[in-house]
Amino acid sequence: MLHGRRRTASHSKPLFRNPLIRSKTTIIRPNTSKSKLGTFLLVASIVKSLSEPGGTRNLNNEESSLISLSEPLVLQILRRSSLDVSKKIDFFKWCSLRHNYKHSAGTYSQVLQTLCINPVIHKNDIFEFLASMNREGVVLDSSTFKFLLDSFIKSGNFDSALEILDHAENILDRLNPDVYNSVLIALIRSNHLTMALFTFFKLLDSITDENKNSMDAATCNELLVALRKADTRAEFRNAFDKLREKKNFPMDVRGYNICIHGFGNWGELESSLNLFKEMKEKSLFAPDLCTYNSLIQALCFNGKVNDALIVFQELKTSGHEPDPFTYRIIMQGCCKCYKINDATKIFTEMQHNGFLPDTIIYNSLLDGFLKSRKLTDACQLFDKMSDDGVRASSCTYNILIDGLFKNRRGQAAYALFGDLKKKGQFVDGITYSIVILHICKEGMIDEALELVEEMESRNFVVDLVTITHLLLAFNKEGRRGCEERLMKHIKNSNLMPTLLKWKANMESSMKDPQTREKDSTFMFPMKGDFKEILSLITQNTNPSRKHTIDINPWSSSPYMDHLADEANSNKQILSSSKGKRVQEKGKNINSFDVNMMNTYISIYLTKGKLSLACKLFEIFTDLGVDPVSYTYNSLMSSLVKKGYLNEAYGVFSEMGNKKDSATAADVATYNMIFQGLGKMGRADLASAVLRRLTDGGFVDLVMYNTLINVLGKGGRFDEVNRVLEEMKRNGINPDVVTYNTLIEVNSKAGRLKEAHKFLKMMVDANCAPNHVTDTTLEFLEKEIEKQTKKQKSKSFW
């Protein structure tokens, strides 16, 4: 025995003797039936010796040197569950030092699988054994290679999983395609998406009818999710198209849902609806709740909230029940598109069905109430939020402060801002930026600069959004020296020096002369005039949309089937989110220059320098800077105000030709269209445009006010009343601008009773008047006096 006790001298034989050892020179190898028992006893003896203090040192004696090591013997010891992993490592290394013994691929595989019980702890040992295999020319089999990959992936150590590839270069060409699934997952989770795509395409190319199951659908789905989260639209589309080419690789329901969700969020509603139609036609699996949630979100994102509401009702009869995500999606869509009454009903239904609204849902509804000028409802909702035990976030208070400012409750907003600062809670850089924006509009430049200094002291980043508000205010108030003061406030940031350097380069570029030929060309080619605006909108929508739906009585989703059938004509008419001057964190924007271009275009247009703004636009588009919706809207607004309607039509045409979500027409774009039609005296076209927007998009308070003004000045008072009723039906309360407009257009048309009626409605609604109201009421009073005198004169004669 290797380390067993011996009998005392009085005994002639040892108590337990190694059955493999007959003498010091004769070895019986385990090749007979009796050797199985001997091998078992030998393994037990070695395991016991390894378990005792000293470990492998207990094997370094004269008797153990006679042991004949073999692969079966070593494997049995390595497979003993009672032996500690560290002891197995020591034994493996001890065997490596024995003469006339060399580890096989089987023993390496066994020890590696043993170490993979905890790959993070034994990472160094794993790579040491892999390097030893390469030195000795032992080839790692594909099953062990996959086992190693999966172990590191499950432990979250993705970089180590990829490092294994460097130690297994000699077997990569001979790996089973199934192993690449593990490689692909490791690449995806370690954020090596480029390499993951390369591996993905290689794996797709290897798929045939014989080995069509070699690629795991779950792995494919994980790649698509990673590409969608990384916002790599072109790569996502490329991977999707490659999958479609492989007809022998069917997508599962999760794969369809991922693609429907991805294409919907990127504004490709047609692709999402076509995928839904394909799911129904193949009948391999029915759309599930996740499919409906993705489609509802896609419809909301593409401004088709009316359709989304119908699909939401259809969902309840399709065998599925809405979950919290369904309610969140449809409520956010309604609030973004100013359908506040629908949002309120869904909020009540959600609670009735036993779902507790979270902070995000409360924030969405709170934002919707404030944008719809329903301040009382917003305050009651905020109180309910506290009563229900839902924690308010920084976003909640930012929405509330911004809403109070926009509802002409500036003192309350500023007081709330001050209270939050004292408590040291719920105040971030966005809060400061909101307050700075609104006080800059009131001309409070010095107070705004003090807040910038306070932001720096609290370690909040003074970002480009905040600086943009200040620069516009400086130029509007003629406070040129304030730029140097702003520079002192944010001296620790490299943003302001970069900004000033950009400004100097921009101003020098503006001084460069242009050729006469260049000056004579049109920036926006005019392919028609402004009165053709409706035909241009019709080109981007469905001109022959069916108003009756062919319902299949056996279908669980007849309206969705109808939308899918009309997928090619469901074009997005306007974006569901308003274009921004400055895109935060570079989202959808790859250039700092386009942000500054928008800022300085706004400055020039505020000063009435349209030609300079157009020249700046031309310089940067020549340099390859892509304009966004805000850029086009700014130019279009100024062109409409100056009466250049055909040029404004050219801007709108170019926006439509871009076919990009960053340049999609939004609410501000159509406000400009209404104003242009008003200047042309074409209130009839304005009504037609509104009907198109009501069918496929949404209308906000500003757009309603603009339309009421255009229709009122055109003498179309029946339509004015219909617009006002529709506005209330959607849950939007008229504001002071609405009432001022109604009083003014009725007064100027001699409809004094109607004007007085709207004045009474304004008082009853507790809508505080402003300076425009005073001017409007003076005009109304004069008109009443004129009419009174006229009636007296008639009665006298």
Side-chain angles (χ1 to χ4, degrees):
M1 187 169 177
L2 296 177
H3 196 66
R5 292 182 179 179
R6 300 282 183 177
R7 284 181 180 268
T8 58
S10 60
H11 293 84
S12 60
K13 293 182 179 180
L15 178 65
F16 179 70
R17 187 175 178 82
N18 191 332
L20 299 182
I21 301 174
R22 220 175 254 185
S23 67
K24 292 185 178 180
T25 57
T26 306
I27 299 176
I28 296 179
R29 301 187 183 277
N31 55 5
T32 64
S33 59
K34 294 181 180 180
S35 65
K36 291 183 179 180
L37 176 61
T39 302
F40 175 79
L41 295 174
L42 177 59
V43 170
S45 175
I46 294 174
V47 169
K48 182 180 179 185
S49 298
L50 291 172
S51 302
E52 291 178 350
T56 54
R57 290 197 299 271
N58 298 330
L59 303 178
N60 296 328
N61 53 45
E62 184 179 1
E63 189 172 298
S64 63
S65 65
L66 301 176
I67 300 173
S68 177
L69 292 175
S70 63
E71 181 181 5
L73 178 69
V74 175
L75 286 174
Q76 286 190 57
I77 295 170
L78 292 175
R79 289 168 182 164
R80 281 298 182 100
S81 59
S82 60
L83 191 61
D84 188 72
V85 176
S86 61
K87 301 293 184 181
K88 292 181 181 180
I89 296 172
D90 292 340
F91 174 71
F92 189 90
K93 292 179 179 179
W94 180 83
C95 292
S96 302
L97 300 176
R98 299 303 94 191
H99 297 293
N100 302 322
Y101 178 79
K102 182 180 179 181
H103 282 299
S104 65
T107 55
Y108 271 110
S109 176
Q110 181 60 47
V111 75
L112 288 171
Q113 291 184 35
T114 302
L115 296 176
C116 284
I117 295 173
N118 198 330
V120 178
I121 294 177
H122 300 295
K123 172 185 170 182
N124 294 333
D125 293 315
I126 289 173
F127 286 108
E128 181 182 343
F129 289 141
L130 287 173
S132 176
M133 291 182 72
N134 286 335
R135 286 194 304 269
E136 296 179 11
V138 179
V139 179
L140 184 67
D141 62 281
S142 60
S143 61
T144 306
F145 178 73
K146 188 176 188 304
F147 191 85
L148 287 169
L149 283 173
D150 291 341
S151 299
F152 276 117
I153 290 169
K154 289 177 182 177
S155 65
N157 202 337
F158 309 117
D159 292 332
S160 297
L162 295 177
E163 194 176 343
I164 293 176
L165 298 174
D166 297 332
H167 293 271
E169 292 179 354
N170 56 346
I171 67 166
L172 287 180
D173 295 333
R174 296 182 289 102
L175 285 177
N176 188 322
D178 182 51
V179 178
Y180 280 98
N181 288 311
S182 299
V183 177
L184 190 55
I185 290 176
L187 290 167
I188 294 168
R189 296 184 183 177
S190 59
N191 206 26
H192 292 81
L193 290 183
T194 303
M195 190 64 184
L197 272 174
F198 174 79
T199 307
F200 171 75
F201 293 142
K202 184 175 181 180
L203 187 56
L204 273 183
D205 292 338
S206 68
I207 294 178
T208 61
D209 291 332
E210 290 75 17
N211 67 341
K212 60 183 178 181
N213 295 323
S214 62
M215 184 172 181
D216 187 12
T219 306
C220 174
N221 293 340
E222 188 157 353
L223 175 65
L224 291 173
V225 169
L227 293 173
R228 181 182 59 78
K229 288 182 177 178
D231 200 26
T232 52
R233 188 180 310 186
E235 289 80 0
F236 186 95
R237 169 61 74 173
N238 194 11
F240 173 77
D241 291 339
K242 288 287 185 182
L243 278 173
R244 310 293 283 175
E245 293 174 6
K246 290 288 179 181
K247 296 182 180 180
N248 51 4
F249 179 76
M251 293 174 61
D252 61 2
V253 64
R254 184 167 183 264
Y256 274 104
N257 290 342
I258 292 167
C259 294
I260 289 172
H261 179 71
F263 288 130
N265 284 350
W266 283 322
E268 299 184 34
L269 182 59
E270 177 184 344
S271 298
S272 296
L273 293 173
N274 283 331
L275 285 172
F276 173 81
K277 184 178 181 180
E278 183 179 305
M279 289 179 73
K280 295 290 291 286
E281 289 175 349
K282 284 189 174 181
S283 301
L284 295 175
F285 30 73
D288 59 7
L289 180 59
C290 184
T291 313
Y292 278 99
N293 287 346
S294 299
L295 286 166
I296 290 171
Q297 187 171 20
L299 289 168
C300 290
F301 180 82
N302 287 272
K304 297 186 176 296
V305 182
N306 291 336
D307 290 332
L309 286 168
I310 298 174
V311 174
F312 173 69
Q313 296 300 327
E314 193 172 78
L315 164 65
K316 302 172 189 176
T317 60
S318 65
H320 302 288
E321 290 294 332
D323 64 355
F325 296 102
T326 317
Y327 285 110
R328 178 191 294 182
I329 291 165
I330 192 67
M331 280 193 60
Q332 285 179 326
C334 288
C335 292
K336 270 190 174 182
C337 299
Y338 306 94
K339 296 184 178 296
I340 306 304
N341 284 349
D342 291 313
T344 306
K345 291 177 183 176
I346 295 169
F347 181 76
T348 305
E349 177 188 318
M350 178 183 184
Q351 294 175 300
H352 179 73
N353 289 338
F355 294 108
L356 297 177
D358 58 7
T359 306
I360 297 175
I361 291 179
Y362 271 106
N363 287 350
S364 299
L365 193 55
L366 182 66
D367 187 45
F369 279 144
L370 291 169
K371 285 181 178 177
S372 300
R373 302 301 188 262
K374 304 183 86 167
L375 185 59
T376 304
D377 293 330
C379 293
Q380 291 174 353
L381 181 69
F382 184 74
D383 292 337
K384 175 178 171 53
M385 184 178 180
S386 302
D387 296 338
D388 290 347
V390 180
R391 285 180 58 85
S393 62
S394 298
C395 182
T396 310
Y397 285 102
N398 289 341
I399 291 171
L400 191 56
I401 290 171
D402 185 55
L404 288 171
F405 273 118
K406 289 179 177 177
N407 282 272
R408 303 180 67 212
R409 299 292 190 276
Q411 291 183 347
Y414 204 81
L416 177 60
F417 174 62
D419 290 340
L420 293 175
K421 284 196 299 181
K422 290 178 183 178
K423 294 177 181 177
Q425 292 180 323
F426 305 113
V427 176
D428 54 16
I430 297 176
T431 319
Y432 275 95
S433 185
I434 290 170
V435 176
I436 289 171
L437 164 66
H438 288 289
I439 65 176
C440 281
K441 287 182 177 179
E442 300 296 327
M444 301 167 64
I445 306 284
D446 295 328
E447 291 82 355
L449 287 171
E450 289 176 3
L451 287 179
V452 171
E453 187 175 7
E454 194 175 303
M455 284 181 73
E456 284 285 315
S457 64
R458 288 175 173 250
N459 295 321
F460 293 129
V461 177
V462 182
D463 58 3
L464 188 58
V465 178
T466 309
I467 293 175
T468 299
H469 299 330
L470 291 164
L471 288 177
L472 290 173
F474 294 163
N475 284 272
K476 184 178 180 180
E477 300 293 329
R479 302 280 294 272
R480 296 183 178 178
C482 290
E483 290 184 3
E484 295 182 1
R485 185 177 169 188
L486 179 62
M487 180 78 171
K488 293 178 182 178
H489 285 322
I490 55 174
K491 58 186 176 182
N492 295 328
S493 171
N494 61 354
L495 180 59
M496 194 64 188
T498 305
L499 189 150
L500 295 178
K501 181 181 178 182
W502 187 95
K503 179 185 176 185
N505 293 336
M506 179 267 297
E507 289 178 345
S508 64
S509 299
M510 296 287 284
K511 294 177 182 178
D512 291 339
Q514 289 181 294
T515 62
R516 186 180 301 276
E517 181 182 358
K518 182 77 174 176
D519 288 338
S520 65
T521 59
F522 289 104
M523 185 182 302
F524 302 103
M526 292 174 289
K527 301 176 182 177
D529 57 31
F530 204 86
K531 64 175 178 258
E532 298 176 7
I533 196 77
L534 190 60
S535 62
L536 185 60
I537 295 172
T538 304
Q539 292 174 10
N540 294 324
T541 57
N542 180 14
S544 58
R545 180 165 181 169
K546 299 177 184 178
H547 294 282
T548 59
I549 305 174
D550 297 329
I551 296 179
N552 179 4
W554 301 105
S555 174
S556 60
S557 54
Y559 192 78
M560 270 307 310
D561 295 343
H562 164 68
L563 291 177
D565 289 336
E566 291 192 340
N568 295 331
S569 57
N570 277 284
K571 302 295 183 182
Q572 182 179 4
I573 190 169
L574 65 127
S575 173
S576 62
S577 57
K578 195 171 182 179
K580 298 179 181 179
R581 177 190 299 118
V582 179
Q583 302 288 335
E584 297 179 75
K585 300 180 181 179
K587 210 170 187 180
N588 300 323
I589 291 276
N590 296 320
S591 172
F592 174 77
D593 289 338
V594 73
N595 294 329
M596 290 310 303
M597 178 180 74
N598 288 337
T599 297
Y600 278 95
I601 282 179
S602 299
I603 291 172
Y604 290 143
L605 294 177
T606 301
K607 293 182 176 182
K609 298 180 179 179
L610 177 59
S611 58
L612 282 176
C614 290
K615 189 175 181 182
L616 179 63
F617 176 89
E618 186 179 41
I619 289 171
F620 279 91
T621 49
D622 288 344
L623 292 174
V625 177
D626 294 326
V628 293
S629 297
Y630 184 88
T631 320
Y632 289 113
N633 289 342
S634 299
L635 292 172
M636 190 174 173
S637 173
S638 188
L639 289 168
V640 168
K641 288 177 181 177
K642 290 182 176 291
Y644 301 131
L645 300 181
N646 291 338
E647 287 78 3
Y649 180 80
V651 176
F652 184 71
S653 300
E654 181 166 320
M655 289 180 71
N657 293 333
K658 289 284 185 179
K659 296 181 180 178
D660 185 7
S661 59
T663 58
D666 58 10
V667 179
T669 312
Y670 281 92
N671 280 331
M672 297 304 107
I673 291 174
F674 286 145
Q675 290 179 14
L677 293 172
K679 283 183 175 289
M680 293 176 62
R682 294 303 303 270
D684 56 331
L685 290 179
S687 296
V689 172
L690 177 67
R691 285 193 293 272
R692 301 295 305 176
L693 294 179
T694 305
D695 287 340
F698 58 92
V699 187
D700 70 341
L701 178 61
V702 178
M703 193 180 290
Y704 276 122
N705 290 341
T706 306
L707 188 61
I708 287 172
N709 185 45
V710 170
L711 295 173
K713 289 180 178 179
R716 307 173 74 91
F717 290 102
D718 290 339
E719 294 182 39
V720 167
N721 292 330
R722 280 199 295 270
V723 169
L724 184 63
E725 289 303 315
E726 180 188 330
M727 178 179 173
K728 293 178 180 179
R729 192 164 53 250
N730 283 335
I732 302 178
N733 282 345
D735 65 350
V736 64
V737 178
T738 315
Y739 287 116
N740 286 346
T741 305
L742 288 167
I743 295 170
E744 180 186 5
V745 295
N746 280 281
S747 299
K748 290 183 177 180
R751 296 162 53 90
L752 302 184
K753 289 184 179 179
E754 287 76 6
H756 192 270
K757 179 186 73 173
F758 287 120
L759 174 61
K760 187 175 183 302
M761 288 173 58
M762 181 179 181
V763 174
D764 294 339
N766 294 321
C767 183
N770 57 12
H771 63 284
V772 178
T773 313
D774 297 335
T775 306
T776 305
L777 291 179
E778 286 179 8
F779 179 81
L780 176 60
E781 188 177 353
K782 290 179 181 178
E783 289 297 311
I784 292 174
E785 289 178 359
K786 287 181 182 178
Q787 195 172 51
T788 303
K789 289 180 180 179
K790 193 174 182 180
Q791 289 176 350
K792 286 182 178 179
S793 176
K794 283 183 178 180
S795 61
F796 177 77
W797 294 104

